[in-house]
Amino acid sequence: MEHGTQNNDPVVSNRTMEIVVAGLFALVALVVMADSIRVGNGWGADGPKAGYFPFYVGLIMLVSSLATLAVNILRHSGERTAFVEKQQLGLVLQVLVPSVVFVILTGFLGIYLSAVLFIAFFMHWVGKYPVRTILPVAILVPAVLFVMFEIWFLVPLPKGPVEAMFGF
């Protein structure tokens, strides 16, 4: 890959991401350990208490995270290897942002109508499909999923105003 062009400029380095992720894992480990202490992490008369194993898993996570953090803080060469470049980040955001919108819309419109909009949007924006291809796919896929989950498996998924109009 050619470096130095605008689309291939690094957005963030590997070292920075290693430090951020190690810090987040250390934070999660501390939460796990604190909750394990809260519910009891010792040994009871009938064996280990509820927090015994989670506490030690959290401890292993904490030690690993701190080791990763220390290595990356102490090891600082002038080399800045890219974790993600602008073009790559753009491709990730092209999927991430509509996916977040889909999740938010699910709370208001239900999963099926949100899925219609999500599939139609992606097919138009990313796939550049014609409307005659988009409409049947965007409508039939959620319809089949509705029949499968709501009628056959009897697994209720979040519904919105459209399903309410049909009595579901």
Side-chain angles (χ1 to χ4, degrees):
M1 230 181 243
E2 183 180 334
H3 290 282
T5 62
Q6 190 176 13
N7 285 337
N8 289 338
D9 290 341
V11 175
V12 67
S13 70
N14 278 328
R15 178 176 179 265
T16 302
M17 287 309 297
E18 291 273 357
I19 291 170
V20 168
V21 171
L24 291 173
F25 264 81
L27 184 64
V28 169
L30 289 171
V31 169
V32 167
M33 291 171 65
D35 199 50
S36 296
I37 291 169
R38 183 186 63 80
V39 298
N41 68 328
W43 202 266
D46 56 346
K49 292 184 180 177
Y52 182 82
F53 291 112
F55 177 82
Y56 287 103
V57 169
L59 183 61
I60 292 168
M61 282 177 60
L62 180 63
V63 169
S64 301
S65 298
L66 292 177
T68 302
L69 197 59
V71 164
N72 281 286
I73 288 175
L74 297 175
R75 174 200 65 159
H76 182 42
S77 65
E79 181 184 345
R80 189 176 138 93
T81 56
F83 176 75
V84 66
E85 296 171 348
K86 285 183 182 178
Q87 182 182 13
Q88 295 166 332
L89 182 60
L91 292 172
V92 169
L93 292 176
Q94 193 176 24
V95 174
L96 180 64
V97 171
S99 297
V100 169
V101 171
F102 167 72
V103 171
I104 292 168
L105 284 178
T106 298
F108 297 101
L109 303 177
I111 196 163
Y112 303 110
L113 181 56
S114 297
V116 168
L117 297 174
F118 183 73
I119 291 168
F121 175 77
F122 256 94
M123 288 183 73
H124 173 72
W125 188 47
V126 178
K128 309 286 188 235
Y129 288 96
V131 174
R132 69 178 183 277
T133 305
I134 293 172
L135 287 178
V137 173
I139 293 169
L140 288 175
V141 168
V144 167
L145 291 173
F146 178 84
V147 169
M148 187 170 63
F149 284 106
E150 303 288 337
I151 297 171
W152 294 345
F153 297 152
L154 300 175
V155 175
L157 295 176
K159 289 180 231 19
V162 172
E163 294 90 351
M165 286 184 343
F166 292 110
F168 287 98

